[in-house]
């Protein structure tokens, strides 16, 4: 999907003011204008669910990051604190992007790491 169409899709999903059927109709109009095949309802539904899950993970990670800042400070001192903060950042990115879908790392695990420091 071309970037302008994907950006429009993200905007519509973020605003959450349109029904999915209306979003699909608007997207398919854009696809027709670009000479692209139509998007199926199933594809849109799956994408929408994935984006909502990712958005929820981002919100949860923001909440956990508040604990990190409180515990470690903006700039932790000592090699152990810096290493722990870097590990937490890396794991956070992995969680949000889905890199670790088969791993055991969760937001709850990150929260516990932050509390241990």
């Amino acid at each position: 999907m071309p970037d302008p169409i994907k950006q429009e899709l993200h905007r519509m999903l973020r605003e959450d003011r349109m029904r999915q059927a209306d979003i699909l109709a608007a997207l398919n109009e854009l696809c027709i204008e670009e000479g692209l095949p139509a998007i199926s309802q199933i594809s849109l539904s799956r994408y929408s669910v994935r984006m909502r899950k990712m958005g929820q993970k981002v919100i949860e990670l923001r909440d956990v990051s508040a604990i990190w800042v409180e515990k470690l400070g903006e700039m932790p001192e000592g090699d152990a604190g810096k290493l722990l903060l870097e590990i937490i950042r890396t794991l956070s990115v992995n969680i949000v992007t889905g890199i670790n879908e088969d791993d055991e790392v969760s937001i709850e695990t990150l929260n516990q790491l932050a509390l241990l420091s």
Side-chain angles (χ1 to χ4, degrees), residues 80-92:
K82 290 177 184 176
L83 179 60
L84 179 60
L85 188 56
E86 190 58 37
I87 289 170
I88 291 171
R89 284 182 184 148
T90 301
L91 291 174
S92 298

Side-chain angles (χ1 to χ4, degrees), residues 70-112:
E70 182 181 313
K71 287 290 194 176
L72 299 174
E74 288 289 340
M75 297 297 289
E77 295 184 22
D79 291 340
K82 290 177 184 176
L83 179 60
L84 179 60
L85 188 56
E86 190 58 37
I87 289 170
I88 291 171
R89 284 182 184 148
T90 301
L91 291 174
S92 298
V93 169
N94 291 351
I95 288 171
V96 170
T97 59
I99 290 172
N100 74 323
E101 287 179 4
D102 296 330
D103 295 342
E104 296 298 318
V105 179
S106 66
I107 290 175
E108 291 77 23
T109 302
L110 289 179
N111 194 16
Q112 290 171 354

Side-chain angles (χ1 to χ4, degrees), residues 33-86:
E33 290 173 10
E34 294 290 322
L36 299 169
I39 298 168
S40 71
Q41 178 67 45
I42 292 172
S43 294
L44 178 60
S45 293
R46 285 185 191 147
Y47 190 79
S48 176
V49 167
R50 241 183 16 240
M51 293 306 291
R52 286 183 198 282
K53 284 181 181 179
M54 187 177 291
Q56 184 59 39
K57 286 181 182 180
V58 168
I59 290 168
E60 290 171 1
L61 286 171
R62 282 184 188 154
D63 293 343
V64 171
S65 70
I67 294 172
W68 305 340
V69 170
E70 182 181 313
K71 287 290 194 176
L72 299 174
E74 288 289 340
M75 297 297 289
E77 295 184 22
D79 291 340
K82 290 177 184 176
L83 179 60
L84 179 60
L85 188 56
E86 190 58 37

Side-chain angles (χ1 to χ4, degrees), residues 8-19:
E8 182 64 13
L9 169 59
H10 291 167
R11 182 192 64 75
M12 288 186 278
L13 290 174
R14 233 184 0 261
E15 289 178 355
D16 199 26
R17 289 189 277 173
M18 298 172 69
R19 294 178 314 129

